[in-house]
Amino acid sequence: MTSTSPTPAAAGHGVAVVFEEMHRWYGPVHALDGLSIDIAPGELIALLGPSGCGKTTALRALGGLDVVDQGRILVDGKDMTTVPANKRNMGIVFQAYSLFPNMTARDNVAYGLRLRGVDADARKKKADDMLDLVGLGKQTTRYPHQMSGGQQQRVALARALAIEPKVLLLDEPLSALDAKVRRQLREEIRRIQIMVGITTLFVTHDQEEALAMGDRVGVMSQGRLEQIAAPAELYDKPKTRFVAEFVGLTNRIDGTVEAGRINLLGTSLPLLPGSATSGHATALVRPESIRLAAQTGSGARVAAISFLGSMCRVQAAMPSGEILIAQMAASDFVSLQPGTEVSVSFLPAPVFAIAD
Amino acid sequence: MLVAVLAYLILPLIAMLEFSTRGDVDPVTKAATRSLQSYAAIFSYPNLVDGIIASLEIAALTVVGMLAILVPTMVWTVVRVPRMRRVVEFLCLLPLAIPAIVIVVGIAPIYRFIGQHLGPLGASPLTLTFIDIILVLPYSYRAIDSSLRGIDTATLADAARSLGASWPRTIFEVIVPNIRGGVLSAAVLGIALVLGEFTISSLLSFNTVQVVIYLLGKRDPFVSVAVSLLALVFAFVLLFVISRFAPGADNRAQRAAEEPA
Amino acid sequence: MTQLVTRSASPSATAAGPASSGAGASRFRGAGNYLALIPFHVYVGLFLVLPTLIVTIGSFQDQAGSLTLDNFKAMFTNEQFIGSFMKSLQLALITAILGAIVGGLLAWAVVRGNPNGILRQLVIAACGVLAQFGGVMLAFAFFATFGFNGLITMFLKNNLGMAADGSWLYSLAGLAVVYTYFQIPLMLIVFLPSLDGLRQEWYDASASLGGGAWSFWRNVGGPILAPSFLGALLLLFTNAFSAYATAQAVISQGCALITQQIACQMQSEVILGQENVGKALALGMIVIVSAVMAVYAYIQRRASRWVK
């Protein structure tokens, strides 16, 4: 699967997509609560959130598989809100098992072309090209049940792209796959997406996936968009408590807020906008912002160390019994062992604090 | 269209209710009356009561016998001799390819032999149990099989064995509780099938409930219809109750719960 | 590389010693595993395989037990026997087709409802009863509806003044109506799992690729369901073909259907002195039903090939 880099099917014709104040109710459940997003041409937006947050509803609304009760969907400036799914020209890759089981890989990919009246030779060629693009040039006559989950999702991607859709919609396409295949395929999808230049909406509950793939990542909760930003910004500068807690691993440490800063275990750290403004508060601190150094008499002890390749993750038990998780380059932890007494300090990065 | 189909399916059942609750025509007004006399009359036919008792006894014996033969065999094939799974499946489903009437033809000589050599025991309708176990095999097999497929039987058995359980304990204390949905379905299907069985008991001249209903139908159809309706309702209640415990029911619920609202 | 090979080779070499000494024991234990299946096989052998063998062998024997083909000659020349076979085949085919179509539509309606709804469970339980445990009781249900004193007959007579007497019920046409009554629910039971297996994703994928309902059913849904539908049709066919109880209850006089014909032969065999013709007819039934079931099994395998 290493890049044979075939020629892109259609380069750089991405269109803009706009969600405008979308609302959707399922009975009493408010699945979309005024969702608005502007997606730039060619951009990949990852929608991230826990199950039931409305991300899939948003994707299905864009694909025409679900309706919105209020609001509009604009694609390339045109209002698509009420256009039926089969007239929208959107390529959708579903979670799993969406390939037609009675058709070979080639017939699956050619299906959309057949519906468009493309003649047999042309659609065979196009289907084979698309399968080539996803690295399955030699498996064109296999049936879905003869392929692995990863291969099936590649075919699904080829099928979605074969119709040269305006927008590519990915509905948790990797969630049913093994961790290794998953990582490999997500890089592959991203590479193809950039090469084709297609505007893409990617829905996932896996934050690592969202941060790795998105040009921007939108975090959703209860039908609302909490924050949409580039991955690094989202990670470093969460705007809301939900984002701070949901994205990345966080330690919760008690401190006191004063004049825009928080005092944690004797260290004063700057606060992110939206944090608590005074009094006792809980700071949400990333493991990589915590430094541990061997020091006798400090009261905290190393409880466990896990080796993550180039990184190490250390659990330290505080005198209060709480556990802090710190992460650093493996070389910085050589002196530590379970039981070692350590001192705790923080990098001076701003943190998010919640009022108690 | 759908309404017409449902009407076609429900109408005969309503008719049974209407038919079996007809009372005597009022001598004064000439109007039809409603009464439960047909139901009360059930007890005035000792043959019928005997038939019902016989069928219930056969049903109980059939279920016990079927479970005793099938459960250990099926668990054993899954855990120890998976190669034999296809053979056991084939044998269990074979009765679907051999009509009951054919089994009667072939088994009549055997029953004649039993009747001649085992004396009074051979004349008891309870001997029908032997054939009824065969008749319920396909249905019981499917019910238990779907339960066994729902759990990782081999791993469960390995786990139990590694913790020191003997084979009987492994099967009855570890595996059976995990396939109880399927076992229950198998039992209920068995009961219902035996209560509805006519072909074999009729041709071997045993008076089970169906045979008595059939014979009585010529003399007092009202009572026959009443008993039939009761039997159908009884089978329906049984099936409905197990459909709430049936294997797969919880999976379906879970799958539905995982899907976006 | 070399080191790797030698290292991985050595444990298996040391393991070879104990393994070879234990081979006899494990072979013995393997046999023991099969021994545990003996009760099942003996039982099925005695009460299923033996009767089938008695039928098969008996059909090639005359009264004295010597080999003959006379029973089959009788089967193929006697118009009564041929007629019974034809009536049974016709009845089975017609009621299977009717049941498959109507039951299939009913199943479709059920599958579109709430999968955990109480209505669905009620319908399934009711269909289970009507499809598999009816027999004589269903005949009585129809007597109560369309028989001489049935609800509908009385209604037509008393309220509409029609000359309805319900005698049609006791004919082959009446039998077809009663048979269809258990074929429809059987179809629902058999076909429902296949319909449940149709995934929403397939419909959505087809729609997103530009397909409407017709494209989906023609290219995806239809081909996927076709084997199951055909398989269910065959199952319905054998079900009706093998049925005896309902037929006997509805048409108690005579030997119209093949199952009734076999029963007649069985009951009168001593008088007629052609003891084994019934066995030949029974073997004929086995051949027909087995052939249909073989096709059914083949179709089922194909159907399950696609879906999981």
Side-chain angles (χ1 to χ4, degrees), chain B residues 244 248-257, chain C residues 113-121:
Chain B
R244 314 229 89 191
D250 7 0
N251 290 347
R252 264 206 306 279
Q254 204 181 336
R255 206 172 62 206
Chain C
N114 176 4
N116 301 297
I118 195 135
L119 187 68
R120 180 187 162 114
Q121 286 176 340

Side-chain angles (χ1 to χ4, degrees), chain B residues 223-244:
Chain B
V223 174
S224 280
V225 169
V227 180
S228 296
L229 184 60
L230 287 180
L232 287 174
V233 169
F234 178 64
F236 170 76
V237 170
L238 275 183
L239 282 192
F240 180 66
V241 168
I242 54 156
S243 77
R244 314 229 89 191

Side-chain angles (χ1 to χ4, degrees), chain A residues 60 65 85-86 89-90 92 94 96-103 108 111-112 114-116 143 145 159-160 163, chain C residues 199-213 215-216 218-221 223-224 305-308:
Chain A
R60 292 178 66 84
L65 302 173
N86 56 349
N89 206 28
M90 305 256 172
I92 308 182
F94 298 86
Y97 314 116
S98 75
L99 292 186
F100 307 132
N102 57 323
M103 298 182 195
N108 262 285
Y111 180 76
R114 200 164 93 195
L115 294 174
R116 281 162 180 71
Y143 282 91
H145 69 98
R159 182 177 70 180
I163 58 172
Chain C
R199 294 180 159 273
Q200 180 69 39
E201 285 92 335
W202 296 334
Y203 192 89
D204 288 348
S206 174
S208 76
L209 294 167
S215 314
F216 171 75
R218 203 175 76 86
N219 299 308
V220 185
I224 290 173
R305 191 189 71 179
W306 283 337
V307 186
K308 253 189 209 158

Side-chain angles (χ1 to χ4, degrees), chain C residues 203-267:
Chain C
Y203 192 89
D204 288 348
S206 174
S208 76
L209 294 167
W214 168 246
S215 314
F216 171 75
W217 284 111
R218 203 175 76 86
N219 299 308
V220 185
I224 290 173
L225 287 182
S228 323
F229 184 83
L230 204 59
L233 185 77
L234 294 177
L235 210 61
L236 263 59
F237 177 86
T238 59
N239 182 50
F241 184 68
S242 311
Y244 168 75
T246 315
Q248 185 63 18
V250 173
I251 311 180
S252 51
Q253 309 301 322
C255 314
L257 299 180
I258 187 60
T259 46
Q260 290 177 296
Q261 188 68 252
I262 291 173
C264 287
Q265 291 300 313
M266 210 182 138
Q267 282 155 344

Side-chain angles (χ1 to χ4, degrees), chain C residues 90-112:
Chain C
Q90 261 176 357
L91 189 66
L93 191 65
I94 291 169
T95 62
I97 291 172
L98 274 176
I101 293 171
V102 179
L105 291 171
L106 188 64
W108 176 241
V110 167
V111 101
R112 302 203 49 170

